[in-house]
Amino acid sequence: MAEALDIAHETGERFYEAELYRLKGELLVHSAWGASVPHSAEATECFQHAIEIAQNQSAKSLELRASVSLGRLWRQQGKPTEARQRLAKIYNWFTEGFNTVDLQEAKILLDELK
């Protein structure tokens, strides 16, 4: 993941940069299970950075994915209100495509956060 991010920075090709940071956050979350030192702070940073990049690129689908990842982490951390607010903000932007996997996953998570 680090190599892919380095390449994106070196070449200036940043189309999937938000997704790379989201995936890095997911790897940190999953590698923390059972670990003595959780990586949740670093994962949170990755997800928030992914959201920021996606917003700057007007990449709403990538913003949604990163928001779902962050929402899941916050739910695990006992922050359901923050998770719901963050996710609802981007989910409510969409007016179509509700049969896509990303929007379906977002809806499921929103329902779980009620």
Side-chain angles (χ1 to χ4, degrees):
M1 196 57 58
E3 185 178 344
L5 285 166
D6 286 345
I7 291 170
H9 290 233
E10 289 171 14
T11 64
E13 181 56 54
R14 298 181 180 229
F15 185 75
Y16 281 109
E17 185 178 20
E19 182 67 356
L20 291 173
Y21 276 102
R22 185 192 74 81
L23 291 171
K24 180 179 178 183
E26 288 288 349
L27 289 171
L28 288 165
V29 167
H30 294 292
S31 69
W33 289 346
S36 59
V37 179
H39 299 109
S40 59
E42 190 177 353
T44 298
E45 277 184 32
C46 287
F47 295 143
Q48 290 175 328
H49 193 56
I51 290 167
E52 180 182 317
I53 292 167
Q55 287 172 336
N56 289 338
Q57 294 176 340
S58 298
K60 296 296 185 184
S61 292
L62 295 177
E63 182 181 350
L64 178 71
R65 283 184 184 177
S67 296
V68 167
S69 293
L70 182 59
R72 287 180 180 142
L73 177 60
W74 281 353
R75 178 184 60 189
Q76 291 173 347
Q77 294 175 338
K79 302 176 185 178
T81 303
E82 294 92 334
R84 182 162 178 69
Q85 289 172 346
R86 169 72 236 156
L87 185 53
K89 181 179 176 183
I90 183 62
Y91 181 83
N92 291 330
W93 180 88
F94 289 89
T95 59
E96 60 186 356
F98 293 100
N99 61 336
T100 63
V101 173
D102 289 336
L103 283 167
Q104 288 174 352
E105 286 182 7
K107 176 68 170 135
I108 290 168
L109 182 55
L110 281 169
D111 289 345
E112 292 173 354
L113 293 168
K114 285 186 179 177

